[in-house]
Amino acid sequence: MLEHQNPPALRQPTGAYSQVVTARGAATVYVAGQVATDPAGAIVGVGDLRAQAGQVFANLRAALEAAGAAPSQVAKLTIYVVGFRPESRDLLVPELRAMFGDRPPANTLLGVEALARPEYLLEVDAVAVLD
């Protein structure tokens, strides 16, 4: 079970994350960083952050499902964006809302210089808690 909180003493989020998530459950699932590759290993959306975000979140959903978890059980995300700019966030928020609705996990968004391959613009890892 996850309890989402946005304490009044903290800045109120815009709906893309929760300030605090308390997890109580029987098992924890750690999902490795997901990047914009299709099942054959081809990179999707080279040079296009929005296209890569769609593939990354599809891969995250598949990884969660393989572990018997749902997006609603994700407690924490870490999002890495190459060459982050404020408009980069605007491209990610729709994907976050589509996957997590009005109960987004706690998350950290980091701008990084590079990822494992130069074509990757985005990587997302997750921690989920199963009831």
Side-chain angles (χ1 to χ4, degrees), residues 34-77:
Q34 298 300 303
V35 293
T37 53
D38 66 17
I43 298 172
V44 174
V46 174
D48 183 341
L49 182 60
R50 177 171 278 166
Q52 287 202 9
Q55 185 65 49
V56 166
F57 282 98
N59 291 351
L60 178 59
R61 184 180 296 278
L64 290 167
E65 289 173 357
S72 63
Q73 293 171 302
V74 174
K76 175 74 168 83
L77 291 177

Side-chain angles (χ1 to χ4, degrees), residues 76-92:
K76 175 74 168 83
L77 291 177
T78 306
I79 303 168
Y80 306 89
V81 180
V82 173
F84 178 81
R85 297 178 321 275
E87 54 271 19
S88 302
R89 180 187 167 280
D90 296 338
L91 296 174
L92 300 176

Side-chain angles (χ1 to χ4, degrees), residues 83-127:
F84 178 81
R85 297 178 321 275
E87 54 271 19
S88 302
R89 180 187 167 280
D90 296 338
L91 296 174
L92 300 176
V93 169
E95 294 293 337
L96 289 163
R97 287 191 178 137
M99 186 157 183
F100 300 105
D102 64 350
R103 309 236 349 140
N107 70 59
T108 300
L109 174 61
L110 300 168
V112 297
E113 185 174 326
L115 294 168
R117 292 187 58 179
E119 299 91 349
Y120 296 153
L121 301 176
L122 177 68
E123 186 167 341
V124 177
D125 65 41
V127 178

